[in-house]
Amino acid sequence: MTTTAASQPLGYRVLNPATGEVVQTFPTATDAEIQAALESSHQAYALWKEVPIADRAKIVARVGQLFGERAAELGAIITEEMGKPASQAKGEAEFCEDIFEYFATNGPELAADQPITPIGGGRAVIQKLPVGPLLGIMPWNYPYYQVARFAAPNLMLGNTIILKHAESCPKSALAIQSIMDDAGVPAGTYINLFATHDQIADIIADPRLQGVSLTGSERAGSKIGEIAGRNLKKAVLELGGSDPYVILDAADVKAAAADAWGVRMENTGQACNSNKRMIVMDDIFDEFVGELANQAQGLVPGSPSEEAEGTFAPLSSRVAAEGLAAQLQDAVDKGATLHAGGRLMDGPAAYIEPAVLSGVTKEMRAYYEELFGPVAVVYKVTSDDEALALANDTPYGLGGAVFSTDEARARKVAERLETGMSNVNAYAGEGADMPFGGVKRSGFGRELGPLGMDEFVNKRLFYIGE
Ligand code: NAD
């Protein structure tokens, strides 16, 4: 039987946002299953941490290979679950192979003892030891990549993992569990759980659990951070963003605008570090906005599984599309200019036309809130200082980029961005080896690169006296 979004059941389910139909539902875990998972994770930890890191690396590398081998089928699952265009969905699964490979290759060195020379004599090293069972709480926007960022370094370290995925991603969550099992990750070392929010609070409170990593919204971050704090558990929070994308000047304004649009449309605008605020110098502003509007004009809804020129994909859910439409309406009602798009298509599917918006002021929700969808918001500035002040006028601090034909000029602004990632003449330095994370209300902690293996670690001093 299929139901529509209006009668959408709560809990874990595949709800195709391109049709609004519920395809499959999954039962949530019982409390007994939660307790069994905690015990199993605890017991698996005692064994997994004793496996030599070189042997853990072989299993972690195999996990990566399976992501690569299964990329097409993995991609199809998330296209149905959250509407990601097919080529991007497959690409995401392939990128996970790079992430597991990076940590399998570099993990032994990153976890190696760090010698120090004690001033008072004796011998000392800092050891990088695992801490125990960890909980990962993940969002729907990159269902594989987010899990890979958390799981790869922690499996290498010898930690064990309980994974609670987004309610809209049960099939991809199970596909990841299959990959772990098939790659030889021992039973109990990686456990997918369809847990409720109440059960998540119980898991965090359980003395066997040693840490929690959440990627998601500010709202969820403050809740999970509060529960973790109350229970004295280490937390990593990877939250939302409203990244500035500053264009001080450009040799080819149309090309710069087309690039900016391409970045903004990645994952239909649902990336935490998307260029949500384009900040453009006044002398090129009109040409820049004109080209954005040109790109947005005439697009029609398309199937994310059969990508075609001139089409756009749905958002992850009807609720998300309606929420974005309300943010746009608020801006337009208060005087912003909608240059193109922005129409919410009739339900129950989750289509909203990609839009270009300017004239956003502080009175509008769009100024400080994250717009999690295909909307290019463009601000006009008259100086580099004004661009910088606007770039930093946000509660978020995830990433940011500054562009100029004069690298030194762009660098001067980029050096002063209050963000966890700052880029010059590039949208983002992204890769398995590039640390990712933010400051301010974008959260704390880092994933990927060398810093990604430095979070859930007991950096133990080991001292031998003379
Ligand atoms: P969300 O916060 O609604 O959900 C994220 C996860 O947290 C889900 O698994 C959800 O079930 C769980 N969750 C939410 N409230 C909870 C609670 N009270 N107790 C237990 N679990 C809870 O976020 P979303 O809509 O799935 O993801 C989009 C958000 O994620 C955006 O804000 C985006 O910017 C952010 N994001 C950040 C990064 C990053 O690295 N900084 C990466 C991707 C996405």
Side-chain angles (χ1 to χ4, degrees):
M1 190 193 86
T2 54
T3 43
T4 61
S7 58
Q8 164 186 329
L10 294 173
Y12 291 83
R13 78 281 163 185
V14 177
L15 196 168
N16 185 343
T19 62
E21 286 177 350
V22 174
V23 180
Q24 202 174 348
T25 59
F26 296 78
T28 47
T30 62
D31 289 347
E33 283 165 347
I34 299 287
Q35 286 307 314
L38 276 162
E39 187 52 27
S40 172
S41 190
H42 175 66
Q43 290 189 9
Y45 171 63
L47 301 173
W48 183 239
K49 71 180 164 104
E50 299 302 334
V51 174
I53 194 162
D55 294 341
R56 289 200 295 263
K58 285 183 197 142
I59 297 173
V60 168
R62 183 69 192 134
V63 170
Q65 285 161 5
L66 290 179
F67 268 100
E69 286 169 19
R70 298 177 189 179
E73 61 189 92
L74 292 171
I77 292 172
I78 58 175
T79 295
E80 185 179 52
E81 280 179 340
M82 45 71 69
K84 192 182 300 267
S87 59
Q88 294 178 33
K90 181 164 175 275
E92 181 185 328
E94 286 164 347
F95 186 35
C96 294
E97 178 169 9
D98 296 349
I99 294 173
F100 282 96
E101 174 60 32
Y102 169 81
F103 284 106
T105 306
N106 297 285
E109 195 187 323
L110 294 171
D113 290 353
Q114 195 182 315
I116 43 179
T117 310
I119 295 170
R123 286 167 288 155
V125 291
I126 297 165
Q127 300 170 318
K128 306 265 186 80
L129 304 178
V131 291
L134 304 175
L135 173 66
I137 306 176
M138 295 296 152
W140 49 263
N141 66 334
Y142 289 92
Y144 300 121
Y145 160 78
Q146 298 297 349
V147 174
R149 295 198 320 187
F150 169 62
N154 285 303
L155 289 175
M156 281 302 294
L157 282 164
N159 293 318
T160 55
I161 290 170
I162 294 174
L163 204 291
K164 179 247 176 285
H165 219 313
E167 285 77 357
S168 53
C169 294
K171 266 174 98 169
S172 45
L174 292 175
I176 297 169
Q177 179 75 68
S178 297
I179 285 178
M180 296 289 173
D181 297 344
D182 296 349
V185 175
T189 303
Y190 180 99
I191 303 173
N192 178 73
L193 267 186
F194 291 146
T196 65
H197 291 181
D198 287 345
Q199 288 169 334
I200 287 299
D202 293 342
I203 293 172
I204 297 172
D206 191 283
R208 288 166 290 195
L209 195 91
Q210 299 303 323
V212 55
S213 180
L214 169 114
T215 300
S217 61
E218 235 184 303
R219 182 184 38 78
S222 68
K223 185 80 195 153
I224 296 303
E226 182 189 333
I227 300 170
R230 205 186 311 134
N231 290 286
L232 300 178
K233 299 291 166 72
K234 154 109 183 178
V236 165
L237 301 176
E238 297 278 0
L239 310 178
S242 191
D243 291 5
Y245 187 93
V246 181
I247 312 280
L248 300 175
D249 61 71
D252 182 340
V253 177
K254 279 196 173 57
D259 286 350
W261 179 256
V263 170
R264 189 68 186 103
M265 290 306 117
E266 151 75 21
N267 205 26
T268 320
Q270 303 163 111
C272 49
N273 66 336
S274 185
N275 51 348
K276 297 185 186 123
R277 293 179 301 136
M278 299 177 196
I279 297 171
V280 181
M281 207 52 76
D282 58 349
D283 56 343
I284 56 171
F285 182 86
D286 289 344
E287 193 181 353
F288 193 92
V289 172
E291 178 57 22
L292 287 177
N294 190 31
Q295 297 274 338
Q297 227 58 270
L299 297 175
V300 294
S303 164
S305 53
E306 293 152 25
E307 291 167 89
E309 198 67 27
T311 64
F312 62 92
L315 289 198
S316 64
S317 71
R318 181 74 193 171
V319 172
E322 287 171 358
L324 185 65
Q327 286 171 310
L328 276 176
Q329 191 60 51
D330 171 77
V332 171
D333 288 348
K334 291 173 182 162
T337 305
L338 189 60
H339 300 267
R343 195 159 48 99
L344 176 68
M345 314 312 263
D346 289 341
Y351 288 94
I352 180 165
E353 284 174 344
V356 179
L357 192 69
S358 73
V360 170
T361 60
K362 291 189 187 201
E363 294 68 42
M364 302 169 191
R365 291 178 57 193
Y367 189 88
Y368 285 122
E369 291 180 12
E370 179 180 40
L371 295 190
F372 215 54
V375 181
V377 180
V378 205
Y379 295 88
K380 190 195 292 190
V381 289
T382 55
S383 70
D384 294 14
D385 282 347
E386 190 187 352
L388 176 69
L390 182 55
N392 285 334
D393 188 17
T394 168
Y396 296 106
L398 194 54
V402 185
F403 293 82
S404 170
T405 51
D406 174 358
E407 186 186 302
R409 180 183 179 195
R411 196 182 163 125
K412 218 169 142 194
V413 175
E415 291 277 10
R416 289 150 77 202
L417 288 181
E418 294 162 359
T419 56
M421 299 169 286
S422 187
N423 303 279
V424 172
N425 287 339
Y427 152 56
E430 280 183 332
D433 56 342
M434 296 281 128
F436 194 107
V439 295
K440 295 161 77 178
R441 292 188 73 81
S442 293
F444 39 79
R446 292 292 180 272
E447 294 189 311
L448 296 178
L451 303 184
M453 224 165 118
D454 222 24
E455 293 290 351
F456 296 101
V457 186
N458 174 8
K459 293 166 197 154
R460 187 172 74 177
L461 169 67
F462 197 77
Y463 178 75
I464 302 170
E466 286 180 301

